[in-house]
């Protein structure tokens, strides 16, 4: 199992500093967030150089914060599709096999889902062709149980996969309800090619592992290992605090030391 760190754990820090810290921690890769790449103006030549210099793989998370693939506003929906297609070409240039995307969501929580699902389908038709053309997979993330979200249960994403079998999925343990069985949800979701890990509380998603309220039994980490996909440490932080807390948690439980996670 390969352990990655999301660049958002080091928000505002220089790209080479991020690569150095992840390399020093003996992880295998970095998940690049497109919002951060664009805001910091990280160039592809520089990323390639650092990948080679520090012997780190990369995965890619497409822009999502102000996009909506299911928007009923066609211009917003088309712009969202365009941004993800751009991410596919960036991933191809970096030899990254897939791009994680957020599925569309409702504009108003009380609306019927059917209109948004139809709009989402139009977006996915275009993205499916772009994925085939670039040879880069699209990995749709299972999202948090929030009122506007459409795809918060494995069954919902699995239904998309029936129509778009080449799509992959990203499983995020922090998006599962505090009282839900994460292992059970993990086993239900099909075509997983990436797993995001962090903790959560009733008030906040993506806090440091061990500081939240998620049920994280040791058997969960064995189940994650069985997936044999990149496992990405996630969170938003402006220094090294959360990254250090993540690693300390995994070390204290001997999840790293017993080689559940493969170090270099």
């Amino acid at each position: 199992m390969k352990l990655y760190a999301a660049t958002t754990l080091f928000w505002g820090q220089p790209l080479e500093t991020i690569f150095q810290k992840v390399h020093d921690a003996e992880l295998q890769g970095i998940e690049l967030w497109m919002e951060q790449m664009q805001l910091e103006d990280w160039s592809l030549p520089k990323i390639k150089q650092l990948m080679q210099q520090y012997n780190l793989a990369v995965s890619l998370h497409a822009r999502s914060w102000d996009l909506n693939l299911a928007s009923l506003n066609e211009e917003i929906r088309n712009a969202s599709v365009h941004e993800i297609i751009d991410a596919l070409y960036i991933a191809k240039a970096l030899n990254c096999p897939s791009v994680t995307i957020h599925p569309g969501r409702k504009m108003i929580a009380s609306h019927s889902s059917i209109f948004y699902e139809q709009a989402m389908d139009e977006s996915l038709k275009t993205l499916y062709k772009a994925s085939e053309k670039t040879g880069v997979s699209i990995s749709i993330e299972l999202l948090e149980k929030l009122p506007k979200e459409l795809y918060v249960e494995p069954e919902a994403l699995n239904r998309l996969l029936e129509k778009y079998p080449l799509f992959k999925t990203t499983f995020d343990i922090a998006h599962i309800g505090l009282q839900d069985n994460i292992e059970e949800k993990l086993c239900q979701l099909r075509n997983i090619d990436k797993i995001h890990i962090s903790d959560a509380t009733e008030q906040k998603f993506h806090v440091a592992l061990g500081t939240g309220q998620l049920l994280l039994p040791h058997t969960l980490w064995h189940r994650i290992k069985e997936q044999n996909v990149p496992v990405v440490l996630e969170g938003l932080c402006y220094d090294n605090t959360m990254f250090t807390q993540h690693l300390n948690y995994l070390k204290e439980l001997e999840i790293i030391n017993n080689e559940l996670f493969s170090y270099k």
Side-chain angles (χ1 to χ4, degrees), residues 86-103:
D86 278 352
L88 291 176
Y89 281 98
I90 289 172
K92 183 176 182 179
L94 295 174
N95 264 340
C96 179
S98 81
V99 173
T100 290
I101 71 169
H102 283 193

Side-chain angles (χ1 to χ4, degrees), residues 6-12 33 36 65 198 204-208 233-239 241-243 246:
T7 54
T8 52
L9 287 168
F10 312 93
W11 197 274
W33 276 60
Q36 201 171 358
W65 291 347
S198 60
K204 187 176 181 181
F205 298 102
H206 306 301
V207 300
L233 298 169
E234 265 205 327
L236 178 62
C237 189
Y238 300 90
D239 54 28
T241 305
M242 192 179 297
F243 181 56
H246 281 329

Side-chain angles (χ1 to χ4, degrees), residues 198-201 206-214 216 242 245-246 249:
S198 60
D199 213 325
T201 68
H206 306 301
V207 300
L209 288 167
T211 67
Q213 298 167 272
L214 285 177
L216 304 174
M242 192 179 297
Q245 288 174 308
H246 281 329
Y249 175 85

Side-chain angles (χ1 to χ4, degrees), residues 142-162:
L142 188 68
L143 292 184
E144 308 97 324
K145 291 184 178 180
L146 296 174
K148 293 184 181 181
E149 297 297 349
L150 294 167
Y151 301 93
V152 300
E153 292 290 347
E155 295 81 4
L157 278 190
N158 289 342
R159 285 194 295 272
L160 285 184
L161 296 177
E162 291 174 5

Side-chain angles (χ1 to χ4, degrees), residues 38-57:
Q38 292 170 337
L39 287 170
E40 298 287 349
D41 197 25
W42 294 340
S43 71
L44 289 181
K46 183 63 174 179
I47 294 170
K48 289 180 181 179
Q49 177 234 313
L50 292 173
M51 288 171 64
Q52 184 174 14
Q53 179 179 341
Y54 291 100
N55 191 27
L56 290 170

Side-chain angles (χ1 to χ4, degrees), residues 6-259:
T7 54
T8 52
L9 287 168
F10 312 93
W11 197 274
Q13 299 187 40
L15 182 60
E16 183 158 5
T17 299
I18 297 173
F19 269 83
Q20 179 71 61
K21 289 177 179 178
V22 174
H23 174 269
D24 289 350
E26 299 186 321
L27 274 59
Q28 286 71 47
I30 288 176
E31 179 153 289
L32 297 163
W33 276 60
M34 287 291 297
E35 280 95 351
Q36 201 171 358
M37 284 181 62
Q38 292 170 337
L39 287 170
E40 298 287 349
D41 197 25
W42 294 340
S43 71
L44 289 181
K46 183 63 174 179
I47 294 170
K48 289 180 181 179
Q49 177 234 313
L50 292 173
M51 288 171 64
Q52 184 174 14
Q53 179 179 341
Y54 291 100
N55 191 27
L56 290 170
V58 297
S59 59
L60 197 65
H61 195 298
R63 287 183 63 185
S64 62
W65 291 347
D66 53 0
L67 304 180
N68 186 2
L69 291 172
S71 176
L72 302 184
N73 182 320
E74 187 175 3
E75 290 189 11
I76 291 175
R77 194 168 67 248
N78 288 341
S80 302
V81 169
H82 177 75
E83 288 287 346
I84 292 172
I85 291 174
D86 278 352
L88 291 176
Y89 281 98
I90 289 172
K92 183 176 182 179
L94 295 174
N95 264 340
C96 179
S98 81
V99 173
T100 290
I101 71 169
H102 283 193
R105 62 190 178 277
K106 296 179 182 181
M107 297 161 69
I108 298 176
S110 60
H111 276 178
S112 168
S113 298
I114 187 168
F115 302 109
Y116 296 99
E117 290 171 350
Q118 290 171 349
M120 176 75 171
D121 190 56
E122 289 300 311
S123 296
L124 292 182
K125 286 176 184 176
T126 302
L127 291 176
Y128 198 76
K129 293 177 182 177
S131 175
E132 289 184 309
K133 182 177 179 180
T134 58
V136 177
S137 297
I138 286 175
S139 185
I140 306 174
E141 187 165 1
L142 188 68
L143 292 184
E144 308 97 324
K145 291 184 178 180
L146 296 174
K148 293 184 181 181
E149 297 297 349
L150 294 167
Y151 301 93
V152 300
E153 292 290 347
E155 295 81 4
L157 278 190
N158 289 342
R159 285 194 295 272
L160 285 184
L161 296 177
E162 291 174 5
K163 188 168 185 179
Y164 301 101
L166 294 182
F167 283 160
K168 307 294 184 182
T169 58
T170 296
F171 185 85
D172 190 323
I173 68 173
H175 292 172
I176 307 303
L178 297 181
Q179 303 306 316
D180 288 343
N181 187 315
I182 298 175
E183 289 181 67
E184 185 177 285
K185 300 292 184 182
L186 179 65
C187 293
Q188 290 172 356
L189 187 61
R190 293 168 42 206
N191 285 17
I192 296 172
D193 77 340
K194 194 183 305 174
I195 295 174
H196 291 164
I197 60 172
S198 60
D199 213 325
T201 68
E202 291 183 359
Q203 294 78 31
K204 187 176 181 181
F205 298 102
H206 306 301
V207 300
L209 288 167
T211 67
Q213 298 167 272
L214 285 177
L215 303 175
L216 304 174
H218 205 80
T219 53
L220 171 64
W221 303 107
H222 286 276
R223 189 72 68 182
I224 288 174
K225 179 179 183 292
E226 290 172 358
Q227 293 290 326
N228 195 31
V229 298
V231 177
V232 184
L233 298 169
E234 265 205 327
L236 178 62
C237 189
Y238 300 90
D239 54 28
N240 305 322
T241 305
M242 192 179 297
F243 181 56
T244 301
Q245 288 174 308
H246 281 329
L247 292 179
N248 286 343
Y249 175 85
L250 296 175
K251 291 174 182 176
E252 286 170 10
L253 292 187
E254 297 186 343
I255 292 168
I256 288 177
N257 294 341
N258 70 6
E259 296 183 355

